[in-house]
Amino acid sequence: PHVLAAWRERSVSWWGRRVEARSGGSVLRGTVRGLDERGALLLDLEDGSRVAVVSGEVSELRLAEGG
């Protein structure tokens, strides 16, 4: 629990941001909503579903210039 609380505190800057997560052969794009009890990253996807990403590489999506 202590480790999870510390991780949540350090990752607050990601909450509400649009990201791309690459995990295995999958690429997911969504909005970061938090961490679940296992420490998985919770993403709200464009189709309205919520997924938990346990491992992978995550990068912030940036708006194109002028858009």
Side-chain angles (χ1 to χ4, degrees):
H2 177 69
V3 172
L4 187 55
W7 179 244
R8 282 187 173 125
E9 286 178 25
R10 286 175 177 79
S11 54
V12 168
S13 64
W14 283 82
W15 297 167
R17 296 206 182 174
R18 295 215 1 96
V19 299
E20 178 177 275
R22 295 178 178 270
S23 181
S26 299
V27 177
L28 302 169
R29 288 185 176 194
T31 303
V32 177
R33 291 300 173 211
L35 300 173
D36 71 8
E37 65 282 347
R38 301 169 297 161
L41 186 69
L42 296 173
L43 293 180
D44 285 347
L45 302 181
E46 294 172 351
D47 68 3
S49 64
R50 179 170 284 180
V51 297
V53 180
V54 176
S55 67
E57 183 177 324
V58 178
S59 57
E60 185 177 3
L61 293 174
R62 300 193 185 267
L63 292 175
E65 285 188 35

